[in-house]
Amino acid sequence: MEFKNLLLEISESVAVLTVNRPQSLNALNSELLNELECAFYQLELDPEVKVLVVTGAGEKAFVAGADIKEMATMTPPDAHRFALKGQRVLLALEKMKKPVIAAVNGYALGGGLELALACDFLYASESAKLGFPEVTLGIMPGFGGTQNLARLIGPKRANELIFSGKMIPAQKAEGWGVVNEVFPAQELLAKTLECARAIASQGTIGIGYAKDAIAHGLDMAKEDGFRYEAALFGVLFGTADQKEGMAAFVEKRKANFRSN
Ligand code: CO8
């Protein structure tokens, strides 16, 4: 499918999806949200893709939020629908079976930070800035930010960030556990791709199950999470990946996983 606001490149089992509205600092409008939804659906089903990287076009922004110019004239029902649409799209991203890495190359604000938080983990450039400036606009986060941020860093830090509307540098976000690693801007994509390719060379089914166990386990009592983990662990022993991975170890060679 052709996209107007997204660039999609697939190579070596890794898809790089670039939000491409640099003239608006990649702000998310309705059309872009629709395109993201299609892209996530398409990438989930594409057997050539094992890992997804999400980033923003240009040097300045990952995504500077939802499109304020589009939101400015929304009525309450419009805004409610817009929030539900954004949440549906970002939940689809969160629920993808394939691993997703955000390469945060600049401003990740409001809906942009919510997009990054819907990814499995974040790498960021030294110049990236993260925040929820919604209160400066008289609104609040609406694409899952209050939920995902508080679960990730706890309510105290989430309260501070969301109530103040301030931006924090990538290095501080790393200290808070929001960003996994910070790289010089010119190295960010290469480092992210290096990690994505390493993940893509592992057993895809095991990674998908581990992702499922981590995500669902957080919503379960710990012992239920353990039971869920054990059940998935058992299922993996019926897969070609497990046969290949363990045979390769015994035969002292590199595993060649073929499942997707
Ligand atoms: N929406 C629309 N346009 C934007 C946005 C945005 N979020 N951010 C930047 N732009 C546009 C600017 O208007 C400008 O366009 P133009 O040249 O036509 O005037 C262009 O991008 C470049 O931006 P600036 O000139 O402002 O660049 P600066 O370097 O001076 O500033 C900033 C960069 C600090 C990032 C600044 O652009 C800014 O503050 N942007 C807005 C950030 C923001 O408030 N984001 C949160 C938006 S609200 C949100 O995301 C809510 C999500 C949930 C919605 C729930 C449903 C209702």
Side-chain angles (χ1 to χ4, degrees), residues 11-244:
S11 88
E12 296 179 54
S13 303
V14 176
V16 178
L17 187 65
T18 305
V19 180
N20 186 33
R21 283 186 80 210
Q23 70 284 4
S24 299
L25 301 188
N26 305 322
L28 303 172
N29 61 12
S30 298
E31 183 180 61
L32 213 162
L33 286 173
N34 288 338
E35 290 189 3
L36 281 175
E37 192 166 30
C38 289
F40 297 152
Y41 184 67
Q42 179 181 318
L43 292 165
E44 181 76 296
L45 296 179
D46 187 338
E48 269 185 52
V49 174
K50 293 190 172 182
V51 180
L52 169 61
V53 171
V54 179
T55 193
E59 288 166 10
K60 219 166 148 181
F62 172 72
V63 169
D67 192 312
I68 300 168
K69 291 165 190 163
E70 182 179 348
M71 286 188 296
T73 55
M74 282 180 184
T75 63
D78 291 340
H80 184 220
R81 274 193 296 274
F82 189 58
L84 290 177
K85 183 204 278 264
Q87 290 176 355
R88 192 182 67 222
V89 174
L90 297 192
L91 274 174
L93 177 61
E94 259 184 68
K95 287 185 175 171
M96 269 182 85
K97 290 190 174 64
K98 300 174 183 184
V100 185
I101 311 172
V104 179
N105 55 310
Y107 290 111
L109 303 174
L113 182 50
E114 287 164 322
L115 173 66
L117 291 175
C119 299
D120 293 313
F121 59 91
L122 285 65
Y123 287 154
S125 70
E126 283 169 350
S127 54
K129 288 195 168 56
L130 294 78
F132 281 109
E134 281 85 345
V135 294
T136 69
L137 301 165
I139 59 168
M140 61 178 278
F143 292 165
T146 57
Q147 304 308 302
N148 277 340
L149 190 71
R151 278 172 172 78
L152 179 64
I153 62 175
K156 303 297 182 207
R157 282 176 167 162
N159 290 344
E160 182 194 351
L161 203 64
I162 291 172
F163 297 173
S164 66
K166 71 181 179 186
M167 297 180 206
I168 57 168
Q171 295 78 356
K172 182 157 183 171
E174 186 184 18
W176 282 7
V178 174
V179 164
N180 282 21
E181 203 164 341
V182 177
F183 298 105
Q186 64 278 16
E187 289 175 22
L188 173 68
L189 196 57
K191 292 284 186 190
T192 307
L193 285 173
E194 194 182 303
C195 174
R197 289 195 183 113
I199 294 172
S201 71
Q202 313 299 348
T204 306
I205 304 176
I207 291 172
Y209 281 15
K211 176 167 172 169
D212 188 27
I214 293 166
H216 283 98
L218 286 171
D219 292 329
M220 289 179 189
K222 190 164 156 180
E223 286 190 7
D224 292 334
F226 271 49
R227 265 190 290 278
Y228 190 52
E229 181 188 75
L232 293 175
F233 186 81
V235 174
L236 286 172
F237 281 71
T239 65
D241 276 2
Q242 178 269 335
K243 307 279 175 274
E244 168 60 11

